[in-house]
Amino acid sequence: MLGIGRGSREGVISLEASIKNCGRTKQWSVALRLLREGLRLGVQLVPGHYIAIASACRKGGQWQHALSVLSDMWKAKLEPNVISYNVGISACEKGGQWQRALALLSEMWEAKLRDAGGEAGSQRHQLQRWDQRVREGRAVAAALVSTTTLGSARARRASSGSGRLRC
């Protein structure tokens, strides 16, 4: 699949370039195959490889695969960084997985990783707003259910003649 040699610098660069190209063209499944091929050939993978593959998965709408690739990176004893967390958070966001995104953000802050460019702070703010909207939506839904249930009970009593309605 790839014309790369075991452990060669050219092979590492070629692999990363091929993976990044997959990200640009949203070919996440090809990026995953390149990862397996690189592992099979014994290429010394670096965080950039994993991040590029996870990013390709994110761009292709495959948040589960993106998180799986990042998990593989951590299992390979490669240290997560702000970029890897941002890719995971962004993949979760794109997939509507706000709770997972918040968990990753919390994990990132516990690891005391900071983004000097402010991207992580911006994403944190966006996720906090999203979480707040979800909480507000749940509160409104609970109030509607409560009002509907109370209204139904009053209507049943009124129709059965068992008591008068009170406002």
Side-chain angles (χ1 to χ4, degrees):
M1 180 181 230
L2 287 174
I4 58 178
R6 176 181 288 261
S8 74
R9 179 167 165 68
E10 295 80 20
V12 170
I13 293 169
S14 173
L15 179 62
E16 191 163 3
S18 297
I19 291 168
K20 285 182 179 181
N21 187 51
C22 290
R24 283 189 288 277
T25 58
K26 298 182 182 178
Q27 295 181 357
W28 60 271
S29 61
V30 175
L32 290 173
R33 282 198 303 268
L34 288 170
L35 171 65
R36 287 192 296 270
E37 180 80 1
L39 290 171
R40 186 183 68 73
L41 292 172
V43 173
Q44 182 66 41
L45 298 175
V46 297
H49 291 112
Y50 289 95
I51 292 168
I53 294 165
S55 183
C57 293
R58 174 189 60 85
K59 289 175 183 175
Q62 300 295 316
W63 66 268
Q64 303 96 328
H65 288 299
L67 293 184
S68 177
V69 168
L70 293 174
S71 178
D72 290 347
M73 180 181 114
W74 296 322
K75 287 177 189 170
K77 307 287 189 239
L78 297 171
E79 281 297 312
N81 58 27
V82 172
I83 297 168
S84 60
Y85 276 107
N86 281 342
V87 168
I89 290 167
S90 180
C92 290
E93 178 187 14
K94 188 170 183 170
Q97 301 296 312
W98 63 271
Q99 289 174 320
R100 290 178 194 263
L102 288 172
L104 278 173
L105 184 65
S106 176
E107 184 180 313
M108 182 177 81
W109 282 101
E110 286 175 17
K112 303 211 180 344
L113 295 173
R114 301 290 188 265
D115 179 15
E119 185 179 341
S122 173
Q123 285 187 346
R124 182 187 66 205
H125 181 69
Q126 183 178 13
L127 289 168
Q128 287 171 337
R129 284 193 329 239
W130 191 13
D131 185 48
Q132 182 62 34
R133 282 186 294 226
V134 169
R135 289 174 197 263
E136 289 168 359
R138 286 183 183 161
V140 168
L144 286 174
V145 168
S146 175
T147 303
T148 303
T149 304
L150 180 59
S152 297
R154 286 182 178 169
R156 279 193 301 276
R157 272 188 298 194
S159 66
S160 68
S162 64
R164 38 175 228 228
L165 277 175
R166 298 176 202 205
C167 295

